[in-house]
Amino acid sequence: MGLLSRKASCNSHGQDSSYFLGWQEYEQNPYHEVNNPKGIIQMGLAENQLCFDLFESWLAKNPDAVSLKRDGKSIFKELVLFQDYHGFPAFKKALVDFMSEIRGNKVTFDPNHIVLTAGATSSNETLMFCLAEEGDAFLLPTPYYPGFDRDLKWRTGVEIVPIHCTSSNGFKITLSAIEEAYQQAQKRNLRVKGVLITNPSNPLGTTMARDELDLLINFIDDKRIHLISDEIYSGTVFNSPSFVSVMEVLNDKNLRQTQVWERVHIVYSLSKDLGLPGFRAGAIYSNDPAVVAAATKMSSFGLVSSQTQYLLSAMLSDKKFTREYVLENHERLRQRQRDLVSGLEKAGISCLDSNAGLFCWVDMRHLLKSDTFEAEMELWKKIVYDVKLNISPGSSCHCVEPGWFRVCFANMSGNTLQLAIQRLESFVSSIAINSRTHEELKSLRRKTRNNWVFRLSFQSFHDREQDDR
C-alpha cells in the first residue's frame, strides 16, 4: 500500500506538457543581458512588465498604502489580525468599479456578487468544484491555455472536451464545431456541465465577436448548462474591435433575472491587466447566489492577503491613476505587439491578426518539414535548444493544426525583444540557406546523373556503329 494518495502520485498535473518543459529549460539557462547573454529568452510567459514605472510613481506619491497606514496612522494590527473570507468591502467595491471601467462602463457589477480568490487559477478551479462532479465535462474551444489541463482537471476530476476551431475562419467558434464537441462528450458518456471560454483569447490574442457570444448564450440556454467567461485579459485590448463582455450581451438580450442569467459566470484577476501576478488577486463574479455562497466558503483555501487588498483598494480607488494607466498600458501594448509582428514579417513569418493580450499567435507552418505534430515538436526543440527562445507550441494548446506557436512580447525589455527577433531571423535564414543548398545538391545530382546517362547512351551508340562497320 503506497504512502501517498493517488492524487499525489498520479501524473495528471500536466507538468510534462511542452508548455511547462520549455519553462524548465529556460530556468536552467535564463538569458541575462550581462551575466548570460547567450541564454534562453523567455517568450513563453504571458506577463505584463511594460508599466511598472507607473506603479512605482503612484507608490511614491501614496506611501501610506505601502507602509500600512491610513491618514498617516498605522493600521498594522488591523491588517495582520484574522480576516474572514468575504474580503474587504472597500477592495471589492474598487475592483468591480475597475472591471466596469475597462469595459467602457457599459456594464456594472455588484460587489455582493463577487468572490475573491488567490488568482484566476483558483477562480477557475473553484468554479469547477461548484458546477461539476468528478467525471463531468466542460467544452473548451481550441486552441486554449495549456494550464487549463491542470487548473480545471487535476484536483476536480472534471474532463475537458475540445471544441475544434481552425485557421480557416481565424479560429472562431462555429455552431457545427460546438455541436460536434457536445456529441463527442455524449459518445464518451460524459455529462456536459458547461462551456468555458477565454475572452480575449489566450493564446490567440483576439476578442470574441458579438455573434460568437450570441451563439454561446443560445447554446447554453438550449442545453441548460453553464458558461464561464475567463476575462482576465479584458484590460489588454489595444486595438479595435473593442472588447465585448458576456455580461454586456446578457444585458442587451434582456436576460436579467432569467435562468441563463444565473448560469453565466465571469473569472477575473489583476495578473494580466495590471501585471501583478505575484499579488494573487483574482475573483469570481456570478449572478447565482448559491454559486457565490459556495465559492465564498471554498475561497478560504486561497485568500487574498489583507495587506494586498488594502494596497489595491487604495490604488484602484484613485480614478485619475486608473484612467491614465489604462490608456498608457494600451498604447505600450499596441507598440510592443507592432514591434514583434513587424520583426517577424521581416523574417518571413506571419501572425494571426490580433488586438489584445500579451502574445501573438505565430504561423510557422511553412518551416515544418512535414504537416505533422512530430515536425512541430522538432521545430520547437530547435527553437528552444539552438535558437535559445522559449515559445509555446500549438500542440500544447491543443491546436488541431501543426505549426502554430504562442509568442509573448510584454515580459521583457524592448532590447531583449529585438534580440529575440534577430535570433529567429537568423534561424529562418539558415533554414533557407540549408534548403537552397539541399536543392542545389539535388540539382547537381540530377545533372550528374543525366550526364552519366547521356554518356552511357552515346558510348552504346558509338559501339553499335563500330559493330555495323
Side-chain angles (χ1 to χ4, degrees):
M1 183 175 180
L3 295 176
L4 299 179
S5 68
R6 283 182 297 172
K7 188 67 65 180
S9 56
C10 73
N11 192 32
S12 60
H13 180 273
Q15 198 71 29
D16 56 349
S17 164
S18 52
Y19 174 75
F20 293 110
L21 293 177
W23 279 39
Q24 293 174 18
E25 293 303 320
Y26 163 77
E27 289 168 356
Q28 293 174 16
N29 184 25
Y31 167 82
H32 187 277
E33 185 177 0
V34 177
N35 298 333
N36 192 20
K38 294 185 178 181
I40 296 175
I41 296 175
Q42 174 63 291
M43 305 187 83
L45 176 61
E47 201 167 63
N48 187 356
Q49 299 183 17
L50 302 184
C51 293
F52 285 163
D53 59 312
L54 303 183
F55 293 120
E56 290 172 346
S57 176
W58 186 89
L59 292 171
K61 296 174 183 176
N62 297 270
D64 277 8
V66 183
S67 55
L68 308 183
K69 293 181 180 180
R70 183 185 298 123
D71 299 325
K73 296 182 179 179
S74 174
I75 56 170
F76 176 79
K77 183 178 180 180
E78 177 183 334
L79 293 176
V80 299
L81 292 179
F82 174 77
Q83 304 287 343
D84 70 22
Y85 43 57
H86 290 89
F88 287 1
F91 175 52
K92 294 170 76 172
K93 177 65 167 59
L95 182 59
V96 296
D97 286 348
F98 182 67
M99 290 171 63
S100 295
E101 180 180 355
I102 59 180
R103 289 160 177 77
N105 291 309
K106 296 177 181 178
V107 291
T108 57
F109 297 93
D110 185 344
N112 294 317
H113 289 188
I114 203 163
V115 179
L116 301 180
T117 64
T121 295
S122 179
S123 296
N124 280 309
E125 186 187 54
T126 298
L127 279 174
M128 290 298 108
F129 277 123
C130 288
L131 306 179
E133 303 289 350
E134 183 174 353
D136 288 344
F138 264 75
L139 310 181
L140 271 68
T142 64
Y144 63 76
Y145 165 56
F148 281 151
D149 292 323
R150 168 200 63 198
D151 302 349
L152 308 182
K153 296 172 56 177
W154 184 40
R155 297 197 298 184
T156 66
V158 171
E159 295 292 331
I160 293 176
V161 177
I163 303 169
H164 291 306
C165 304
T166 68
S167 62
S168 61
N169 68 345
F171 296 97
K172 295 183 183 301
I173 300 173
T174 63
L175 179 59
S176 58
I178 196 169
E179 287 284 5
E180 183 179 349
Y182 190 85
Q183 292 169 12
Q184 286 298 319
Q186 290 185 316
K187 289 179 181 178
R188 294 169 55 187
N189 295 317
L190 297 173
R191 181 175 60 166
V192 176
K193 294 304 296 288
V195 180
L196 187 149
I197 60 173
T198 57
N199 183 29
S201 168
N202 175 10
L204 299 178
T206 57
T207 50
M208 276 193 171
R210 186 176 288 268
D211 60 344
E212 288 180 274
L213 294 170
D214 283 336
L215 183 156
L216 287 165
I217 290 172
N218 292 337
F219 181 79
I220 68 156
D221 186 20
D222 178 57
K223 304 297 184 184
R224 300 183 61 81
I225 57 178
H226 296 273
L227 174 62
I228 299 174
S229 182
D230 185 327
E231 300 184 356
I232 66 173
Y233 289 96
S234 52
T236 69
V237 182
F238 50 80
N239 270 334
S240 59
S242 60
F243 172 69
V244 179
S245 172
V246 68
M247 291 298 294
E248 183 179 340
V249 178
L250 289 174
N251 286 333
D252 292 347
K253 293 170 76 71
N254 297 315
L255 291 174
R256 281 180 173 271
Q257 312 309 320
T258 65
Q259 290 186 350
V260 175
W261 177 258
E262 293 191 349
R263 293 204 304 273
V264 176
H265 321 278
I266 289 177
V267 168
Y268 186 62
S269 86
L270 299 177
S271 296
K272 310 303 181 181
D273 290 352
L274 291 186
L276 304 175
F279 278 15
R280 308 310 303 147
I284 295 168
Y285 189 87
S286 176
N287 293 310
D288 186 343
V291 171
V292 172
T296 299
K297 296 172 186 175
M298 293 182 188
S299 70
S300 62
F301 295 100
L303 299 172
V304 183
S305 75
S306 300
Q307 298 92 319
T308 299
Q309 291 188 58
Y310 178 69
L311 169 60
L312 291 175
S313 63
M315 182 181 291
L316 296 181
S317 297
D318 186 339
K319 300 305 180 185
K320 181 176 182 294
F321 169 76
T322 57
R323 183 170 57 253
E324 293 175 351
Y325 171 85
V326 168
L327 292 174
E328 184 62 24
N329 183 48
H330 288 173
E331 180 56 37
R332 295 185 187 186
L333 286 172
R334 183 184 300 112
Q335 184 58 53
R336 184 57 67 84
Q337 186 256 15
R338 189 181 300 142
D339 291 343
L340 176 60
V341 171
S342 62
L344 291 177
E345 284 178 349
K346 292 177 182 177
I349 298 173
S350 61
C351 303
L352 182 74
D353 288 340
S354 61
N355 65 320
L358 311 174
F359 32 73
C360 287
W361 190 237
V362 179
D363 185 0
M364 298 192 195
R365 288 176 292 179
H366 62 296
L367 300 179
L368 300 182
K369 289 184 176 180
S370 62
D371 186 25
T372 63
F373 287 109
E374 289 77 13
E376 177 183 279
M377 291 307 298
E378 182 182 350
L379 177 61
W380 174 73
K381 289 177 181 178
K382 287 181 179 178
I383 293 174
V384 172
Y385 295 107
D386 299 339
V387 187
K388 298 292 195 299
L389 302 177
N390 176 38
I391 63 177
S392 305
S395 54
S396 70
C397 304
H398 300 271
C399 183
V400 295
E401 300 175 8
W404 292 90
F405 294 81
R406 191 192 75 167
V407 180
C408 300
F409 55 73
N411 62 316
M412 66 196 77
S413 69
N415 289 337
T416 302
L417 179 63
Q418 291 305 317
L419 174 61
I421 293 172
Q422 290 170 16
R423 288 183 180 183
L424 198 53
E425 190 172 4
S426 297
F427 172 66
V428 174
S429 297
S430 70
I431 291 179
I433 291 172
N434 291 337
S435 177
R436 192 160 58 245
T437 303
H438 180 65
E439 288 301 319
E440 290 171 353
L441 182 59
K442 285 169 63 177
S443 177
L444 180 61
R445 286 173 177 168
R446 282 196 298 269
K447 289 179 180 178
T448 303
R449 184 170 59 251
N450 291 339
N451 289 338
W452 181 79
V453 171
F454 174 77
R455 288 197 302 269
L456 184 62
S457 300
F458 179 79
Q459 183 63 44
S460 176
F461 174 76
H462 179 73
D463 290 345
R464 285 199 302 273
E465 275 195 323
Q466 293 297 324
D467 291 340
D468 292 341
R469 288 177 185 175

